[in-house]
Amino acid sequence: MKRKLLVALMAMAMTASLAACGGGETPAAEDAPAETSEETPAAEEGAEEAQETPAADSAEGDLIQAAYLTKSRSEVWQLMSQGVVDQAADYGFEVTTMDCDMNAAKQVEQVESCIEAGYKVIAISPADYDALSDVCKSAVEQGVHIVSIDGPNFNAQSYVAADEYDNAHGLGVKAGDWVNENWPEKETIKLCLLEYVYEEACIDRAAGLLDGFTETCKAEVEVVSRISPANQAEGNTMGESVFQATDVDVALGIAGDNMAGFCTAAESAGVEPDAMMAAAMDISKVSGEMMQEGKYIKLLGSWGSPSVDKAKVHLEAMKAAMEIDGLTDDPVRVVYDVSYVDESSIDQIMTDFGWN
């Protein structure tokens, strides 16, 4: 009975979400995510009818019902979620978005509920890869198509990927070149690496950053700290501890939001903006704004605007998954193209992303 009610609430929440997300931009504030989840309030009246009408049987008949499950409600994920909703019809989908706020058990429950509600495609940014394996295998065996937004994982039939090591290595090389050009007199560089040791893709990205930088930088590189912040707030908190213990000349990070938090900690610690250089993959609004303001960040990696370019890649992966029936050892790979942003291009990038 509890599961039936959960399905009913999701079906009704889906309708509310699609009405609310029909136009306009996703709010950038983290306390106002553009999402629909199974906790969305729904009137009890008519719940039995919603129970009997799976998501696949919407009034939009010709559109395939899809769920887009993100691991976080950060600004970037909000933008991507809104972009997927806005462009879904162009790819033949009607999309409902949800996030689990990094709660793996909740995300598994969301997948189970989506299966019962009749979604034909479920695209997932995983909070935990291993936790999703069994439930996604069950989904595929029941005819649901699964997409991994983070590499070939958990029995997905298609996945979105970038060459994490090579792309990050390119940014590390550019950071090394920046130091060689701007600080030629420095004999030693004290480096802090903002990594995330709980995801394989993030591990590869951090390794690329570090290798590219150390191979290029002419000064001796001393890694004085390695931290694993999951978001901007943790970047700030962990950064405060780093600056209490040591000085940092260069900070390299796997994500713009995390780096923005770290740079805020540097500012609070009294580090002058020209005394530390920061570079990070995965540009975000706040990291772009810091670059525009001349606060520490000199280089950012970008896989295109979240609300347009990245959202399109995710929708392409959803279409690709629909072409595969059943479990496969050869999922379709859909790739991101990376570009590198510096102070000469940041204003245009911010405009392109709708962040100015």
Side-chain angles (χ1 to χ4, degrees):
M1 186 64 181
K2 181 179 179 181
R3 183 171 298 284
K4 286 184 177 181
L5 180 57
L6 182 60
V7 175
L9 295 180
M10 281 196 59
M12 297 188 70
M14 179 194 70
T15 304
S17 169
L18 293 172
C21 297
E25 295 184 358
T26 305
E30 290 194 8
D31 61 353
E35 60 169 321
T36 300
S37 75
E38 66 269 32
E39 284 89 13
T40 304
E44 292 187 6
E45 183 179 354
E48 202 62 39
E49 179 182 350
Q51 224 173 252
E52 297 168 359
T53 307
D57 295 330
S58 93
E60 293 293 336
D62 293 335
L63 296 179
I64 299 167
Q65 296 301 309
Y68 184 76
L69 277 53
T70 68
K71 62 186 175 184
S72 167
R73 62 183 62 187
S74 69
E75 175 188 61
V76 171
W77 281 114
Q78 290 181 49
L79 288 167
M80 285 191 282
S81 295
Q82 186 66 60
V84 167
V85 169
D86 289 345
Q87 300 173 92
D90 294 338
Y91 292 81
F93 297 109
E94 186 173 20
V95 174
T96 302
T97 67
M98 313 172 198
D99 80 79
C100 69
D101 198 22
M102 295 304 293
N103 185 325
K106 178 180 178 181
Q107 191 168 62
V108 170
E109 291 176 357
Q110 288 175 336
V111 176
E112 291 173 339
S113 298
C114 287
I115 295 170
E116 291 192 35
Y119 288 93
K120 295 302 182 185
V121 184
I122 306 174
I124 310 168
S125 168
D128 183 291
Y129 297 99
D130 293 338
L132 289 164
S133 183
D134 289 343
V135 70
C136 288
K137 179 180 179 182
S138 175
V140 172
E141 290 173 342
Q142 295 177 62
V144 180
H145 299 275
I146 297 294
V147 179
S148 168
I149 302 174
D150 293 296
N153 302 291
F154 47 81
N155 296 294
Q157 294 152 312
S158 70
Y159 65 96
V160 176
D163 193 324
E164 298 286 0
Y165 180 89
D166 285 349
N167 288 337
H169 187 276
L171 186 68
V173 168
K174 287 185 174 294
D177 286 337
W178 189 97
V179 169
N180 294 339
E181 180 178 347
N182 291 275
W183 294 340
E185 75 287 352
K186 282 188 177 285
E187 296 182 357
T188 301
I189 293 294
K190 293 184 177 180
L191 184 144
C192 179
L193 182 66
L194 280 69
E195 54 192 342
Y196 193 69
V197 297
Y198 309 105
E199 291 186 10
E200 183 177 350
C202 295
I203 293 171
D204 290 343
R205 195 183 295 183
L209 281 169
L210 186 57
D211 289 350
F213 183 78
T214 55
E215 291 164 10
T216 307
C217 182
K218 295 178 180 178
E220 180 182 352
V221 178
E222 179 187 356
V223 180
V224 295
S225 183
R226 301 177 74 133
I227 57 176
S228 288
N231 49 43
Q232 183 178 343
E234 289 189 5
N236 186 18
T237 302
M238 294 182 183
E240 290 174 350
S241 298
V242 170
F243 291 111
Q244 288 174 4
T246 185
D247 295 328
V248 176
D249 299 311
V250 172
L252 301 177
I254 63 161
D257 273 349
N258 304 8
M259 182 59 74
F262 185 82
C263 291
T264 300
E267 189 172 25
S268 298
V271 179
E272 293 296 326
D274 59 354
M276 186 184 82
M277 177 270 191
M281 298 296 290
D282 218 356
I283 187 174
S284 65
K285 181 181 179 183
V286 65
S287 61
E289 288 173 342
M290 280 193 160
M291 179 183 283
Q292 287 180 308
E293 294 166 6
K295 292 184 177 180
Y296 311 106
I297 298 177
K298 304 300 181 183
L299 293 163
L300 291 165
S302 170
W303 283 286
S305 63
S307 61
V308 178
D309 301 317
K310 293 184 81 169
K312 284 182 176 179
V313 173
H314 297 172
L315 287 161
E316 288 168 6
M318 291 161 69
K319 281 195 71 173
M322 293 293 296
E323 301 300 318
I324 298 179
D325 293 322
L327 297 168
T328 179
D329 293 326
D330 188 24
V332 179
R333 182 185 185 193
V334 182
V335 298
Y336 291 123
D337 292 325
V338 70
S339 60
Y340 303 110
V341 183
D342 61 20
E343 292 166 309
S344 69
S345 57
I346 184 60
D347 289 343
Q348 185 61 54
I349 292 293
M350 295 292 280
T351 297
D352 291 345
F353 285 19
W355 289 340
N356 270 339

